[in-house]
Amino acid sequence: MHKEGEIRVLCLGAIKDGDRVFMGEGYDPVKEEHFYRALGGGVEFGETSYAALKREFQEEIQAELTNIKYLGCLESLFTFNGKQGHEILQIYQCDFADPKFYQMDNIVFAEGKRKKTALWVEIERFKSGELKLVPDQFLDYL
């Protein structure tokens, strides 16, 4: 977790398969709102965002990434669980090395003590506003 008033640096992986994208599902109990965000995580001191991306996917869902390409940087100011957040997001396009991940409907994994779900979502559901993508500017990279 991060300290309040801290700017976090994260890396996120945009993995597409045709008209769908691989996303983690989240929930904000204060807003009572479900949202989706690409998988990834925090960049540690002395680690590149590229290395962090590979490490995070390995730790969270035991997946190896390939064809990793840097897309750009996003700054995200938001409120989650009633607290202000500020993140600098390094965005990468990538693919799963193992084709089995493209066949799976969803993957349940542990992040700390919480259970999380990652799943394939049709990009159109974000464009239409049916589902909430965070940050919403991430849509530009899809």
Coordinates of all heavy atoms in Angstrom, one line a residue, residues 2-71:
H2 N 0.3 2.4 -0.3 CA 1.0 3.6 -0.4 C 0.6 4.5 0.8 O -0.5 4.4 1.3 CB 0.9 4.3 -1.7 CG -0.5 4.7 -2.0 ND1 -1.6 3.8 -2.3 CD2 -1.1 5.9 -2.0 CE1 -2.7 4.5 -2.5 NE2 -2.4 5.8 -2.3
K3 N 1.5 5.4 1.1 CA 1.2 6.4 2.1 C 0.4 7.6 1.5 O 0.5 7.9 0.3 CB 2.5 7.0 2.6 CG 3.4 6.0 3.3 CD 4.6 6.6 4.0 CE 5.7 7.0 3.0 NZ 6.3 5.9 2.3
E4 N -0.5 8.2 2.3 CA -1.3 9.3 1.9 C -0.3 10.5 1.5 O 0.7 10.7 2.1 CB -2.2 9.7 3.0 CG -3.5 10.3 2.4 CD -4.6 10.4 3.4 OE1 -4.7 9.6 4.3 OE2 -5.4 11.3 3.3
G5 N -0.7 11.1 0.4 CA 0.1 12.3 0.0 C 1.3 11.9 -0.9 O 2.1 12.7 -1.2
E6 N 1.4 10.6 -1.2 CA 2.5 10.1 -2.0 C 2.1 9.9 -3.5 O 1.0 9.4 -3.8 CB 2.9 8.7 -1.4 CG 4.1 8.1 -2.1 CD 4.4 6.7 -1.4 OE1 3.8 5.7 -1.8 OE2 5.3 6.7 -0.6
I7 N 3.0 10.2 -4.4 CA 2.7 10.0 -5.8 C 3.3 8.6 -6.1 O 4.5 8.4 -5.8 CB 3.4 11.0 -6.7 CG1 2.8 12.4 -6.4 CG2 3.2 10.7 -8.2 CD1 3.5 13.6 -7.1
R8 N 2.5 7.7 -6.6 CA 3.0 6.4 -6.9 C 3.3 6.2 -8.4 O 2.6 6.8 -9.3 CB 1.9 5.3 -6.6 CG 1.6 5.3 -5.1 CD 0.5 4.2 -4.8 NE 1.1 2.9 -5.1 CZ 0.4 1.8 -5.5 NH1 -0.9 1.9 -5.7 NH2 1.0 0.7 -5.6
V9 N 4.4 5.5 -8.7 CA 4.7 5.2 -10.1 C 4.3 3.7 -10.4 O 4.8 2.8 -9.6 CB 6.2 5.4 -10.4 CG1 6.6 5.0 -11.8 CG2 6.6 6.8 -10.1
L10 N 3.5 3.5 -11.4 CA 3.1 2.2 -11.7 C 3.3 1.9 -13.2 O 3.4 2.8 -14.0 CB 1.5 2.0 -11.4 CG 1.1 1.9 -10.0 CD1 0.8 3.3 -9.4 CD2 -0.1 1.0 -9.8
C11 N 3.3 0.6 -13.5 CA 3.3 0.2 -14.9 C 2.1 -0.7 -15.1 O 1.7 -1.4 -14.3 CB 4.6 -0.6 -15.1 SG 4.8 -2.0 -14.0
L12 N 1.5 -0.5 -16.3 CA 0.3 -1.3 -16.7 C 0.5 -1.9 -18.0 O 1.1 -1.3 -18.9 CB -0.9 -0.3 -16.7 CG -1.4 0.3 -15.4 CD1 -2.6 1.2 -15.7 CD2 -1.6 -0.7 -14.3
G13 N 0.0 -3.1 -18.2 CA 0.2 -3.8 -19.5 C -1.2 -3.9 -20.2 O -2.1 -4.5 -19.7
A14 N -1.2 -3.4 -21.4 CA -2.4 -3.5 -22.3 C -2.2 -4.7 -23.1 O -1.4 -4.8 -24.0 CB -2.5 -2.2 -23.2
I15 N -3.0 -5.8 -22.8 CA -3.0 -7.0 -23.6 C -4.3 -7.2 -24.3 O -5.3 -7.3 -23.7 CB -2.7 -8.2 -22.7 CG1 -1.4 -8.0 -21.9 CG2 -2.7 -9.5 -23.5 CD1 -1.1 -9.1 -20.9
K16 N -4.2 -7.1 -25.6 CA -5.4 -7.2 -26.5 C -5.4 -8.5 -27.2 O -4.4 -9.1 -27.5 CB -5.4 -6.0 -27.5 CG -5.6 -4.7 -26.8 CD -6.1 -3.6 -27.7 CE -5.3 -3.5 -29.0 NZ -5.5 -2.3 -29.7
D17 N -6.6 -8.9 -27.5 CA -6.9 -10.1 -28.3 C -8.1 -9.8 -29.2 O -9.2 -9.9 -28.7 CB -7.1 -11.4 -27.4 CG -7.3 -12.6 -28.2 OD1 -6.7 -12.8 -29.3 OD2 -8.2 -13.4 -27.8
G18 N -7.8 -9.4 -30.4 CA -9.0 -9.0 -31.2 C -9.6 -7.7 -30.7 O -9.0 -6.7 -30.4
D19 N -11.0 -7.9 -30.4 CA -11.7 -6.7 -29.9 C -11.9 -6.7 -28.4 O -12.7 -6.1 -27.8 CB -13.1 -6.7 -30.5 CG -13.9 -8.0 -30.2 OD1 -13.4 -8.9 -29.6 OD2 -15.1 -8.0 -30.6
R20 N -11.0 -7.5 -27.7 CA -11.1 -7.6 -26.2 C -9.7 -7.3 -25.6 O -8.7 -7.4 -26.2 CB -11.6 -9.0 -25.8 CG -10.8 -10.1 -26.2 CD -11.5 -11.5 -26.0 NE -10.4 -12.5 -26.1 CZ -10.4 -13.6 -25.4 NH1 -11.4 -13.9 -24.5 NH2 -9.4 -14.5 -25.5
V21 N -9.8 -6.9 -24.3 CA -8.6 -6.6 -23.6 C -8.6 -7.2 -22.2 O -9.7 -7.5 -21.7 CB -8.5 -5.0 -23.5 CG1 -9.6 -4.4 -22.7 CG2 -7.1 -4.6 -22.9
F22 N -7.4 -7.6 -21.7 CA -7.3 -8.3 -20.4 C -7.2 -7.2 -19.3 O -6.4 -6.4 -19.3 CB -6.0 -9.1 -20.4 CG -6.0 -10.2 -19.3 CD1 -6.9 -11.3 -19.4 CD2 -5.2 -10.1 -18.3 CE1 -6.9 -12.3 -18.4 CE2 -5.2 -11.1 -17.3 CZ -6.1 -12.1 -17.4
M23 N -8.2 -7.3 -18.3 CA -8.4 -6.3 -17.3 C -8.5 -6.9 -15.9 O -9.0 -8.0 -15.8 CB -9.6 -5.5 -17.6 CG -9.5 -4.6 -18.7 SD -8.7 -3.1 -18.2 CE -8.0 -2.6 -19.8
G24 N -8.1 -6.2 -14.9 CA -8.4 -6.5 -13.5 C -9.7 -5.8 -13.1 O -9.9 -4.7 -13.5
E25 N -10.5 -6.5 -12.3 CA -11.7 -5.9 -11.8 C -11.5 -5.4 -10.4 O -10.9 -6.0 -9.6 CB -12.7 -7.1 -11.8 CG -14.2 -6.6 -11.6 CD -15.1 -7.8 -11.8 OE1 -14.8 -8.9 -11.3 OE2 -16.2 -7.6 -12.4
G26 N -12.1 -4.2 -10.2 CA -11.9 -3.6 -8.9 C -13.3 -3.1 -8.4 O -14.3 -3.0 -9.2
Y27 N -13.3 -2.7 -7.1 CA -14.6 -2.2 -6.5 C -14.2 -1.1 -5.5 O -13.4 -1.3 -4.7 CB -15.4 -3.3 -5.9 CG -16.7 -2.9 -5.3 CD1 -17.7 -2.6 -6.1 CD2 -16.8 -2.8 -3.9 CE1 -18.9 -2.1 -5.5 CE2 -18.0 -2.3 -3.3 CZ -19.1 -2.0 -4.1 OH -20.3 -1.6 -3.6
D28 N -14.9 0.0 -5.6 CA -14.8 1.1 -4.7 C -16.0 1.1 -3.7 O -17.1 1.4 -4.1 CB -14.7 2.5 -5.4 CG -14.4 3.6 -4.5 OD1 -14.8 3.6 -3.3 OD2 -13.7 4.6 -4.9
P29 N -15.8 0.7 -2.5 CA -16.9 0.5 -1.5 C -17.5 1.9 -1.2 O -18.7 1.9 -0.9 CB -16.3 -0.1 -0.3 CG -14.8 0.1 -0.4 CD -14.5 0.3 -1.9
V30 N -16.8 3.0 -1.2 CA -17.4 4.3 -0.9 C -18.3 4.7 -2.0 O -19.5 5.1 -1.8 CB -16.3 5.4 -0.6 CG1 -16.9 6.7 -0.5 CG2 -15.5 5.0 0.6
K31 N -17.9 4.6 -3.3 CA -18.7 5.0 -4.4 C -19.7 3.9 -4.8 O -20.6 4.1 -5.6 CB -17.8 5.3 -5.7 CG -16.9 6.5 -5.5 CD -16.0 6.6 -6.7 CE -14.9 7.6 -6.6 NZ -13.9 7.6 -7.6
E32 N -19.5 2.7 -4.2 CA -20.3 1.5 -4.6 C -20.3 1.3 -6.1 O -21.3 1.2 -6.8 CB -21.7 1.6 -4.1 CG -21.8 1.7 -2.5 CD -23.2 1.7 -2.0 OE1 -24.2 1.7 -2.8 OE2 -23.4 1.7 -0.8
E33 N -19.0 1.3 -6.6 CA -18.9 1.2 -8.1 C -17.8 0.2 -8.5 O -16.7 0.2 -7.9 CB -18.4 2.6 -8.5 CG -18.2 2.9 -9.9 CD -17.8 4.3 -10.2 OE1 -16.6 4.7 -9.9 OE2 -18.6 5.0 -10.7
H34 N -18.1 -0.6 -9.5 CA -17.2 -1.5 -10.0 C -16.4 -0.8 -11.1 O -16.9 0.1 -11.8 CB -17.9 -2.7 -10.7 CG -18.4 -3.7 -9.7 ND1 -17.7 -4.7 -9.1 CD2 -19.6 -3.7 -9.1 CE1 -18.4 -5.4 -8.2 NE2 -19.6 -4.8 -8.2
F35 N -15.1 -1.2 -11.3 CA -14.3 -0.5 -12.3 C -13.3 -1.6 -12.8 O -13.1 -2.6 -12.2 CB -13.6 0.7 -11.8 CG -12.6 0.4 -10.7 CD1 -11.3 0.1 -10.9 CD2 -13.0 0.5 -9.3 CE1 -10.4 -0.1 -9.9 CE2 -12.2 0.3 -8.3 CZ -10.9 -0.1 -8.6
Y36 N -12.6 -1.2 -13.9 CA -11.6 -2.1 -14.5 C -10.4 -1.4 -14.8 O -10.4 -0.2 -15.1 CB -12.2 -2.7 -15.8 CG -13.4 -3.6 -15.6 CD1 -14.7 -3.0 -15.5 CD2 -13.3 -4.9 -15.5 CE1 -15.8 -3.8 -15.2 CE2 -14.4 -5.7 -15.2 CZ -15.6 -5.1 -15.1 OH -16.7 -5.9 -14.8
R37 N -9.2 -2.0 -14.6 CA -7.9 -1.4 -14.8 C -7.0 -2.5 -15.4 O -7.1 -3.7 -14.9 CB -7.4 -0.8 -13.6 CG -6.0 -0.2 -13.8 CD -5.6 0.9 -12.8 NE -4.8 0.3 -11.8 CZ -4.2 1.0 -10.9 NH1 -4.3 2.4 -10.9 NH2 -3.4 0.5 -10.0
A38 N -6.1 -2.1 -16.2 CA -5.1 -3.1 -16.8 C -4.3 -3.6 -15.6 O -4.1 -2.9 -14.6 CB -4.3 -2.4 -17.8
L39 N -3.8 -4.8 -15.8 CA -2.9 -5.4 -14.7 C -1.5 -4.7 -14.8 O -1.1 -4.2 -15.8 CB -2.7 -6.9 -14.9 CG -3.9 -7.8 -14.7 CD1 -3.5 -9.2 -14.6 CD2 -4.7 -7.4 -13.4
G40 N -0.9 -4.8 -13.7 CA 0.5 -4.2 -13.5 C 0.7 -4.0 -12.0 O 0.1 -4.6 -11.2
G41 N 1.5 -3.0 -11.7 CA 1.7 -2.7 -10.3 C 2.8 -1.6 -10.1 O 3.3 -1.0 -11.1
G42 N 3.2 -1.5 -8.9 CA 4.2 -0.5 -8.5 C 5.6 -0.8 -9.0 O 6.0 -1.9 -9.0
V43 N 6.3 0.3 -9.4 CA 7.7 0.2 -9.7 C 8.5 0.4 -8.4 O 8.3 1.4 -7.7 CB 8.1 1.3 -10.8 CG1 9.5 1.2 -11.1 CG2 7.2 1.1 -12.0
E44 N 9.4 -0.5 -8.1 CA 10.2 -0.4 -6.9 C 11.5 0.5 -7.2 O 11.9 0.6 -8.4 CB 10.6 -1.8 -6.4 CG 9.4 -2.5 -6.0 CD 9.7 -4.0 -5.6 OE1 10.8 -4.4 -5.7 OE2 8.7 -4.7 -5.3
F45 N 12.0 1.1 -6.2 CA 13.2 1.9 -6.3 C 14.3 1.0 -6.9 O 14.6 -0.1 -6.5 CB 13.7 2.4 -4.9 CG 14.8 3.3 -5.0 CD1 14.7 4.7 -5.3 CD2 16.1 2.9 -4.8 CE1 15.7 5.5 -5.4 CE2 17.2 3.7 -4.9 CZ 17.0 5.0 -5.2
G46 N 15.0 1.6 -7.9 CA 16.1 0.9 -8.6 C 15.6 -0.1 -9.7 O 16.5 -0.8 -10.2
E47 N 14.3 -0.1 -9.9 CA 13.8 -1.1 -10.9 C 13.2 -0.3 -12.1 O 12.6 0.8 -11.9 CB 12.7 -1.9 -10.2 CG 11.9 -2.9 -11.1 CD 10.8 -3.6 -10.4 OE1 10.0 -2.9 -9.7 OE2 10.8 -4.8 -10.5
T48 N 13.4 -0.7 -13.3 CA 12.8 0.0 -14.4 C 11.3 -0.4 -14.5 O 10.9 -1.5 -14.0 CB 13.4 -0.4 -15.8 OG1 13.2 -1.8 -16.0 CG2 14.9 -0.1 -15.8
S49 N 10.5 0.4 -15.1 CA 9.0 0.1 -15.3 C 8.9 -1.2 -16.1 O 8.0 -1.9 -15.9 CB 8.3 1.3 -15.8 OG 8.8 1.7 -17.1
Y50 N 9.8 -1.4 -17.1 CA 9.7 -2.6 -17.9 C 9.9 -3.8 -17.1 O 9.2 -4.8 -17.2 CB 10.8 -2.4 -19.0 CG 11.0 -3.6 -20.0 CD1 10.3 -3.5 -21.2 CD2 11.7 -4.7 -19.7 CE1 10.4 -4.5 -22.1 CE2 11.8 -5.7 -20.6 CZ 11.2 -5.6 -21.8 OH 11.3 -6.7 -22.7
A51 N 10.9 -3.8 -16.2 CA 11.2 -4.9 -15.3 C 10.1 -5.1 -14.4 O 9.7 -6.3 -14.1 CB 12.5 -4.7 -14.6
A52 N 9.5 -4.0 -13.9 CA 8.4 -4.1 -12.9 C 7.2 -4.8 -13.6 O 6.5 -5.6 -12.9 CB 8.0 -2.7 -12.4
L53 N 6.9 -4.4 -14.8 CA 5.8 -5.0 -15.5 C 5.9 -6.5 -15.6 O 5.0 -7.3 -15.3 CB 5.7 -4.4 -16.9 CG 4.5 -4.9 -17.8 CD1 3.2 -4.2 -17.3 CD2 4.7 -4.5 -19.2
K54 N 7.1 -7.0 -16.0 CA 7.3 -8.4 -16.1 C 7.2 -9.1 -14.7 O 6.6 -10.2 -14.6 CB 8.7 -8.7 -16.7 CG 8.8 -8.3 -18.1 CD 10.2 -8.5 -18.7 CE 10.5 -9.9 -19.0 NZ 11.6 -10.1 -19.9
R55 N 7.7 -8.5 -13.7 CA 7.7 -9.0 -12.3 C 6.2 -9.1 -11.8 O 5.8 -10.1 -11.3 CB 8.5 -8.2 -11.4 CG 8.5 -8.6 -9.9 CD 9.2 -7.7 -9.0 NE 8.9 -6.3 -9.1 CZ 7.8 -5.7 -8.7 NH1 6.9 -6.4 -8.0 NH2 7.6 -4.4 -8.8
E56 N 5.5 -8.0 -12.0 CA 4.1 -8.0 -11.5 C 3.2 -9.1 -12.2 O 2.4 -9.7 -11.5 CB 3.5 -6.6 -11.8 CG 4.0 -5.5 -10.8 CD 3.5 -5.6 -9.4 OE1 2.5 -6.3 -9.2 OE2 4.1 -5.0 -8.5
F57 N 3.3 -9.3 -13.5 CA 2.5 -10.3 -14.1 C 2.9 -11.7 -13.6 O 2.1 -12.6 -13.5 CB 2.6 -10.2 -15.7 CG 1.6 -9.3 -16.3 CD1 1.8 -7.9 -16.3 CD2 0.4 -9.8 -16.8 CE1 0.8 -7.1 -16.8 CE2 -0.6 -9.0 -17.3 CZ -0.4 -7.6 -17.4
Q58 N 4.2 -11.9 -13.4 CA 4.7 -13.2 -12.9 C 4.2 -13.4 -11.5 O 3.7 -14.5 -11.2 CB 6.3 -13.1 -12.9 CG 6.9 -14.5 -12.6 CD 6.5 -15.5 -13.7 OE1 6.8 -15.3 -14.9 NE2 6.0 -16.6 -13.3
E59 N 4.3 -12.4 -10.6 CA 3.8 -12.5 -9.2 C 2.3 -12.7 -9.1 O 1.8 -13.5 -8.4 CB 4.2 -11.2 -8.4 CG 5.6 -11.1 -8.1 CD 6.0 -9.8 -7.3 OE1 5.1 -9.0 -7.1 OE2 7.2 -9.6 -7.1
E60 N 1.6 -11.9 -9.9 CA 0.1 -11.9 -9.7 C -0.6 -13.1 -10.4 O -1.4 -13.8 -9.8 CB -0.5 -10.6 -10.3 CG -0.2 -9.4 -9.4 CD -0.7 -8.1 -9.8 OE1 -1.3 -8.0 -11.0 OE2 -0.6 -7.1 -9.1
I61 N -0.2 -13.4 -11.7 CA -0.9 -14.5 -12.3 C 0.0 -15.5 -13.0 O -0.4 -16.3 -13.8 CB -1.9 -13.9 -13.4 CG1 -1.2 -13.1 -14.5 CG2 -3.0 -13.1 -12.7 CD1 -2.1 -12.8 -15.7
Q62 N 1.3 -15.5 -12.6 CA 2.3 -16.5 -13.1 C 2.3 -16.5 -14.6 O 2.4 -17.5 -15.2 CB 2.0 -17.9 -12.5 CG 2.3 -18.1 -11.0 CD 1.3 -17.4 -10.2 OE1 0.1 -17.7 -10.3 NE2 1.7 -16.5 -9.3
A63 N 2.3 -15.3 -15.2 CA 2.3 -15.2 -16.6 C 3.6 -14.5 -17.1 O 4.0 -13.5 -16.5 CB 1.1 -14.4 -17.1
E64 N 4.2 -15.0 -18.2 CA 5.3 -14.4 -18.8 C 4.8 -13.6 -20.0 O 3.9 -14.0 -20.7 CB 6.3 -15.5 -19.3 CG 7.6 -15.0 -19.7 CD 8.5 -16.2 -20.2 OE1 8.4 -17.3 -19.7 OE2 9.3 -15.9 -21.1
L65 N 5.4 -12.4 -20.1 CA 5.0 -11.5 -21.2 C 6.0 -11.5 -22.3 O 7.2 -11.8 -22.1 CB 4.9 -10.0 -20.6 CG 3.9 -9.8 -19.5 CD1 3.9 -8.4 -19.0 CD2 2.5 -10.2 -20.0
T66 N 5.5 -11.2 -23.5 CA 6.4 -11.1 -24.7 C 5.9 -9.9 -25.5 O 4.9 -9.3 -25.3 CB 6.4 -12.4 -25.5 OG1 7.3 -12.3 -26.5 CG2 5.0 -12.7 -26.0
N67 N 6.7 -9.5 -26.6 CA 6.4 -8.4 -27.4 C 6.0 -7.1 -26.7 O 5.1 -6.4 -27.0 CB 5.2 -8.8 -28.4 CG 5.4 -10.0 -29.2 OD1 6.6 -10.3 -29.6 ND2 4.4 -10.8 -29.4
I68 N 6.8 -6.8 -25.6 CA 6.6 -5.7 -24.8 C 7.0 -4.4 -25.5 O 8.2 -4.3 -25.9 CB 7.3 -5.8 -23.4 CG1 6.8 -7.1 -22.7 CG2 7.0 -4.6 -22.5 CD1 7.6 -7.5 -21.5
K69 N 6.1 -3.5 -25.6 CA 6.4 -2.2 -26.3 C 5.8 -1.0 -25.5 O 4.7 -1.0 -25.1 CB 5.7 -2.3 -27.7 CG 6.1 -1.1 -28.6 CD 5.4 -1.3 -30.0 CE 4.5 -0.1 -30.2 NZ 3.4 -0.3 -31.1
Y70 N 6.7 -0.1 -25.3 CA 6.3 1.1 -24.5 C 5.3 2.0 -25.3 O 5.6 2.3 -26.5 CB 7.5 1.9 -24.1 CG 7.2 3.1 -23.3 CD1 6.8 3.0 -21.9 CD2 7.4 4.4 -23.8 CE1 6.5 4.1 -21.2 CE2 7.1 5.5 -23.0 CZ 6.6 5.4 -21.7 OH 6.3 6.5 -21.0
L71 N 4.2 2.4 -24.7 CA 3.2 3.2 -25.4 C 3.2 4.6 -24.9 O 3.0 5.6 -25.7 CB 1.8 2.6 -25.2 CG 1.5 1.3 -25.8 CD1 0.1 0.9 -25.5 CD2 1.8 1.3 -27.3

